[in-house]
Amino acid sequence: MNDRYSRQLLFSPIGEKGQSLIGRKHVLMIGAGALGSGNAEVLVRSGVGKLTIIDRDYVEASNLQRQQLYTEEDVKEKLPKAIAAKKRLMAINSEVEVVAIVADAVPSLLEDLVSEVDLILDATDNFETRMLLNDISQKHHIPWIYGACVGSFGMSLTIIPGVTPCLHCLLKKIPIQGMTCDTGGIIGPAVQMVIAHQTAEALKILVGDLDAIRTTFTSFDMWRNQYSNIKVAKIKDTGCLSCGEAPTYPFLQQENLTKTTVLCGRDTVQVRPSTAQQLDLQRLSQQMKVSGYDTKGNPYLLSIDLKPERVVIFQDGRALIHGTKDLAQARSIYQKLLG
């Protein structure tokens, strides 16, 4: 497939030199849902050298409406999104190295990975993780691209450490937290528009065309035909604890990380142990069956039907408690099963 990138090579801002650069770069993707699957496909088709995907969830039927890498078979098999994404991406472009990590994006994991990363892409669904990415980016001087969408609304910002304001600065001036997919739903075209903004910026960074990088906070509403760009250079805060003159990177501190979290858009709580584990899922399945529970699983997770709740346990000891948003109830169920 010598002509695989021929159309991209004809685009003069990339050309042969830019394509060679893209092929040597490593992108870290946090999240493999709607934004993550779309971003990942564009980057892999563009010939990025290495793509590492971190995601904590698995494929469900409600994902298929907007998460373009996944199929009904992935739902049937309950494949973790990172694993299902890698499988599809490798079928698209076997020349790209794809690393799939089924885990929460916690500081210790990110610190182990970022030394060889050229760019971080935000495809997560919560601000706890985004603020963590922001601090990792600033500490290690790695560009990252923020993206979010809900309903028909989307937004994006490219953050270059030492040059642009960071997300921590932005939140002090622009109210971008609030409605989630839990309350507003989401449509596919809004997802695709955010992906287009993120991947265009990603390619600019990967080929080193920093003068072309967008310097505004972009937001849009595709249903109401609204589009806006806000200049953000002046909101950079010299006293910011993430990117200021004396940064402390507060969101990298373990004590700021919640152990129990309601997942976006679902009656589901994630419970995460204080330290990562390596569970023997086959042995755990046998134990649950002896206790009278119905179980289904694969090499990556175990699903236990408690009726009315359903619990999905991952190898690292995390569990998704489906059927509740009650944090105390979720913790109680987790303790009952895993002690």
Side-chain angles (χ1 to χ4, degrees):
M1 296 187 183
N2 294 330
D3 62 347
R4 177 189 285 271
Y5 308 114
S6 61
R7 302 304 186 269
Q8 196 161 278
L9 291 169
L10 289 172
F11 181 62
S12 57
I14 294 180
E16 290 188 8
K17 180 180 179 181
Q19 189 63 50
S20 177
L21 287 169
I22 292 171
R24 299 198 299 269
K25 295 300 176 67
H26 180 187
V27 177
L28 174 61
M29 178 89 64
I30 310 300
L35 292 179
S37 60
N39 274 309
E41 181 170 343
V42 173
L43 290 175
V44 164
R45 290 188 184 276
S46 298
V48 69
K50 182 177 181 179
L51 177 65
T52 297
I53 303 171
I54 302 175
D55 191 274
R56 65 187 180 183
D57 209 350
Y58 65 98
V59 184
E60 296 184 279
S62 63
N63 302 146
L64 301 182
Q65 167 249 352
R66 66 199 179 282
Q67 299 183 18
Q68 64 191 56
L69 286 180
Y70 309 126
T71 67
E72 292 177 354
E73 189 64 24
D74 297 327
V75 175
K76 182 179 178 181
E77 295 180 12
K78 286 186 169 59
L79 282 182
K81 290 182 181 179
I83 301 299
K86 177 179 178 178
K87 179 181 177 181
R88 179 70 183 278
L89 293 168
M90 293 302 295
I92 291 171
N93 190 347
S94 60
E95 297 175 355
V96 174
E97 181 183 358
V98 180
V99 177
I101 300 175
V102 184
D104 242 348
V106 296
S108 57
L109 175 59
L110 295 177
E111 292 279 9
D112 288 342
L113 292 173
V114 294
S115 61
E116 57 175 31
V117 167
D118 299 293
L119 173 66
I120 300 171
L121 272 176
D122 165 32
T124 187
D125 60 4
N126 66 90
F127 268 86
E128 175 188 305
T129 305
R130 288 187 176 111
M131 299 310 291
L132 170 57
L133 296 184
N134 188 67
D135 275 8
I136 280 283
S137 162
Q138 297 300 322
K139 180 179 178 180
H140 295 276
H141 306 286
I142 302 169
W144 77 286
I145 303 172
Y146 162 73
C149 52
V150 62
S152 57
F153 182 75
M155 60 194 84
S156 181
L157 177 69
T158 302
I159 298 171
I160 311 294
V163 178
T164 69
C166 75
L167 188 63
H168 201 175
C169 294
L170 189 73
L171 289 176
K172 299 173 186 176
K173 300 293 183 179
I174 302 176
I176 60 176
Q177 289 177 274
M179 188 170 63
T180 69
C181 59
D182 190 14
T183 58
I186 191 166
I187 59 172
V191 174
Q192 295 299 322
M193 180 66 83
V194 176
I195 290 168
H197 279 287
Q198 287 186 288
T199 52
E201 292 295 292
L203 290 174
K204 295 173 190 178
I205 292 171
L206 296 178
V207 303
D209 191 359
L210 301 186
D211 290 337
I213 291 174
R214 177 171 38 83
T215 58
T216 58
F217 173 78
T218 293
S219 64
F220 60 84
D221 189 321
M222 298 196 70
W223 204 263
R224 295 173 178 80
N225 305 308
Q226 298 171 347
Y227 197 96
S228 69
N229 282 289
I230 301 174
K231 295 181 179 179
V232 296
K234 292 184 179 180
I235 71 172
K236 187 169 176 59
D237 180 8
T238 58
C240 177
L241 297 179
S242 295
C243 74
E245 295 176 352
T248 60
Y249 313 116
F251 299 98
L252 293 182
Q253 299 174 25
Q254 289 283 354
E255 60 265 26
N256 284 347
L257 294 177
T258 60
K259 298 295 190 297
T260 311
T261 310
V262 177
L263 298 190
C264 177
R266 297 149 68 183
D267 289 331
T268 302
V269 175
Q270 175 180 265
V271 180
R272 185 178 68 227
S274 56
T275 57
Q277 304 174 26
Q278 191 63 31
L279 297 179
D280 184 336
L281 295 180
Q282 186 174 3
R283 180 180 177 183
L284 181 60
S285 176
Q286 292 171 349
Q287 292 173 349
M288 292 297 109
K289 288 178 179 178
V290 169
S291 298
Y293 299 118
D294 292 330
T295 68
K296 295 180 181 179
N298 57 44
Y300 312 102
L301 57 81
L302 178 67
S303 178
I304 305 169
D305 191 355
L306 300 184
K307 298 178 183 178
E309 293 84 21
R310 181 169 59 88
V311 179
V312 175
I313 300 173
F314 295 85
Q315 282 185 318
D316 62 1
R318 289 180 304 111
L320 301 183
I321 318 297
H322 294 283
T324 183
K325 291 185 179 180
D326 187 317
L327 301 185
Q329 181 186 9
R331 284 192 293 267
S332 176
I333 292 172
Y334 184 87
Q335 289 295 324
K336 176 182 177 182
L337 293 178
L338 294 177

